[in-house]
Amino acid sequence: MVALLDRVSRALDPDRGLQLAMSGLIEAQGTRYALGTDRAAWCPGQPLKLLLAGYVGTRNTGADVRVEEMIRQFRRILGDDQVELTLLTVDPALSAGYFRAVRQVQLPTVFPKFLYDECPRHHGVVACEGSMFKSKFATALSTMMAGALGLAAVEGKLSVGYGAEAGEMVEGLREFVRRQCKNSFVICRNEPSRRVLEALGIRTAGGTDTAWTFEPSARERGANLLEKAGWDGRSELLAICPINPFMWPTKPDVMKFLALRFAGQYREQHYKSIYFHHDSPEARLQLDAYLGAIAAAVGVFAKERGVVPVLVGMERLDRKACALLRERLGFRAPMFVSDEYDMYDLVSVLRNCSLMVTSRYHAMVTSMPGLVASAGITMDERIHNLLHDRGHPELLLRTGEEGLGEKLIETLRRLDRERARYREEIARFVPTQLRLMGQMGMAFCDEVSRVYPDFELPARTRAWPDYLPSLGSSMSGLLEQWG
C-alpha cells in the first residue's frame, strides 16, 4: 500500500509532470531534427541567435545584474553585430528598461510547449540563472533551464550553462538534468558545483559569477539617496541584507490553488499560478528567531560603534523581511528594496557602506569591488562557497544555527576590528574573479567554435582581459593595482 501511494503521489506531482512533458517534447524535437524538419540552422554570415533562459523579471537584483554583464560580455567577445539575443522574462513590466537591445519574451508559468516552440527559433540556448541546478528554491526553475538546454542540445546547437551553481537536487530533477544536459556544456562558478555536475556525466569548465564587472550608479548617487533617507553623510554605514530563508522551496499545490481561488486562503504564501512558498508554524518561528538574532546583534554593535544600519532588499520578496527587521530594531533605519530602486542605484547604496552582513549572495559580490567588508548568514551553498573561495570562512554563519545572535555580534566585532585586512584581501580577490570571468569568455568562444566552426570570432589575442566586458574606473583601478 505504501508503495502504491508513493507511485500515486509521484504521478500527481506537478514538478514531475513538467519534467515528463519536457522530456517528451525534447524527444519530439530530436525526431523533427533527425527528419530535417522545423530547423533554424545557422549559416555563415548570419548573426548568432541566442536564447537566454533564466530568472529575470522578478526584480531580483542579483539575477538582473548577472544577465546584464553576461549580455555585455557576449556582445564584446562575439561581436556586437554578430549576435542577436533574446531573453526570457517572468514579467516584462519588471524587466523593462534593462538589457539594452535585447528582445524580451514572457515565460509562461507552464512552459514546456512554449520552450518547444521558442528554442528551435534560435541557434543556441544559454542558461543564465546562478542557482541553475538545485531544488532549494524551485525545482520548476531548474527544470525550465535544463529543458531549454536539452532542446538546443538535441538539435546539435549551442547548449551552455553560464556561471552556474549546482547543489542538492531532488531525485527526479537530478535524473532529468543527467538525461537532458548530457550533451550540454556548463561553466560553473565554483569547484563544488563542477563536482556535482561531473558526477552526472555533464561536461564542465571552471569559472565564476558574471556580476563582478557590474558598474553601478556613481557613488554620489547612492550617497544622495542615503541622505534623503536620513543619513547624516558622516556616520559609517552597516548594510544588512535579510531574506526569509524559510519560505523555500516554492512548490506547486493544486489544492491550495483551489482554496485560494474559491475561498481566498493561502494568499500570503502564494507566489504565482499554482506555486506557493513554504509556510508552517515552525517556519514562522524560525523566521522570527533569525530576524530577532540579527536585530539583537546589530542593535548592540550599532551602539558600540555608532554605525547606522541600512536595510537592503535585493529582491522584492525581501521587503517583508526588511520591514519586520526594522520593527525589531526599534527605529526607522533607511530601507531600500529592489521594487523601488533599480539595480544601478541599489548597488551604489551598498558601495557607500563600510560593513555588511548579508543573506543575499549578490549583495556580497556586487559590494566587494567597492571594498565593503562583508560577512554572510547563509541558507545554502552559495555564500558558503564564496567565503571559502575568498579565504574568510570565519565570517560565515547559518540562518538556523543555535546562538546566531551572539555569534553575529562577535563576527561583526571581528569584521570591524580586522577591517583593513579584510578590505585588502577582498581587493586581491576581486581580480582573481575577473581572470576567471575572462577565462569563461574564452571557454564560451571555444564552444561556439566547436559547434559552429565557420562562425568568425573577432580577432583578438588569447589574453583573458580581452574576453571581459568593458570595465569601470573602480574595477580598472583594482585590476591595475592587484591584478
Side-chain angles (χ1 to χ4, degrees), residues 31-142:
T31 300
R32 289 201 304 190
Y33 175 71
L35 294 173
T37 59
D38 196 38
R39 293 176 59 187
W42 177 81
C43 297
Q46 276 187 303
L48 195 62
K49 297 180 180 179
L50 299 180
L51 178 66
L52 306 181
Y55 185 59
V56 304
T58 63
R59 297 301 281 195
N60 180 311
T61 302
D64 293 339
V65 165
R66 273 179 56 90
V67 172
E68 174 67 16
E69 295 310 285
M70 210 176 292
I71 289 167
R72 293 204 309 121
Q73 186 178 27
F74 290 166
R75 288 194 181 284
R76 182 177 185 202
I77 64 180
L78 298 180
D80 197 49
D81 59 347
Q82 293 198 110
V83 63
E84 291 182 8
L85 300 175
T86 297
L87 176 65
L88 301 183
T89 176
V90 175
D91 186 341
L94 295 180
S95 53
Y98 287 177
F99 318 121
R100 176 187 60 85
V102 174
R103 172 177 170 255
Q104 297 188 32
V105 294
Q106 186 166 10
L107 176 72
T109 304
V110 181
F111 51 76
K113 179 60 165 59
F114 168 82
L115 293 179
Y116 177 70
D117 293 334
E118 185 67 30
C119 290
R121 296 171 180 160
H122 304 271
H123 304 130
V125 169
V126 179
C128 53
E129 170 58 17
S131 299
M132 199 170 295
F133 302 113
K134 58 199 312 182
S135 296
K136 184 67 176 179
F137 297 101
T139 292
L141 178 61
S142 292

Side-chain angles (χ1 to χ4, degrees), residues 125-330:
V125 169
V126 179
C128 53
E129 170 58 17
S131 299
M132 199 170 295
F133 302 113
K134 58 199 312 182
S135 296
K136 184 67 176 179
F137 297 101
T139 292
L141 178 61
S142 292
T143 299
M144 183 275 290
M145 288 183 285
L149 290 174
L151 283 166
V154 80
E155 287 194 283
K157 294 178 177 178
L158 193 71
S159 177
V160 176
Y162 204 69
E165 184 110 23
E168 184 178 346
M169 290 177 267
V170 297
E171 180 183 353
L173 177 62
R174 186 169 57 251
E175 183 55 35
F176 180 79
V177 170
R178 182 201 304 272
R179 187 168 62 253
Q180 305 305 344
C181 298
K182 62 185 177 183
N183 294 318
S184 300
F185 177 50
V186 182
I187 305 175
C188 299
R189 67 184 180 191
N190 50 59
E191 288 303 308
S193 295
R194 291 191 73 181
R195 291 194 290 271
V196 169
L197 294 177
E198 287 175 354
L200 299 180
I202 296 170
R203 188 164 51 101
T204 73
T208 185
D209 196 79
T210 58
W212 294 102
T213 54
F214 181 71
E215 188 71 12
S217 302
R219 187 181 178 90
E220 292 74 18
R221 169 65 176 167
N224 182 255
L225 291 171
L226 285 158
E227 288 175 359
K228 287 181 178 178
W231 179 46
D232 62 13
R234 299 183 304 278
S235 301
E236 287 195 316
L237 300 170
L238 166 64
I240 311 164
C241 306
I243 60 174
N244 180 350
F246 311 104
M247 68 192 298
W248 307 100
T250 297
K251 292 184 176 180
D253 192 314
V254 174
M255 296 307 294
K256 282 185 178 180
F257 175 74
L258 293 174
L260 171 69
R261 183 75 177 270
F262 296 108
Q265 295 177 292
Y266 305 109
R267 195 174 303 280
E268 289 218 0
Q269 304 168 34
H270 187 229
Y271 172 58
K272 63 182 301 184
S273 182
I274 62 170
Y275 287 86
F276 292 80
H277 293 294
H278 173 71
D279 183 55
S280 67
E282 181 185 14
R284 291 191 287 273
L285 287 173
Q286 289 174 317
L287 176 62
D288 188 66
Y290 161 79
L291 294 175
I294 296 174
V298 168
V300 170
F301 183 73
K303 287 180 181 178
E304 288 179 354
R305 300 293 298 130
V307 300
V308 175
V310 179
L311 301 172
V312 179
M314 294 290 284
E315 183 171 2
R316 63 177 184 154
L317 289 174
D318 298 341
R319 175 170 288 282
K320 183 176 180 180
C322 287
L324 290 172
L325 181 54
R326 182 156 68 171
E327 287 179 12
R328 284 162 173 77
L329 287 172

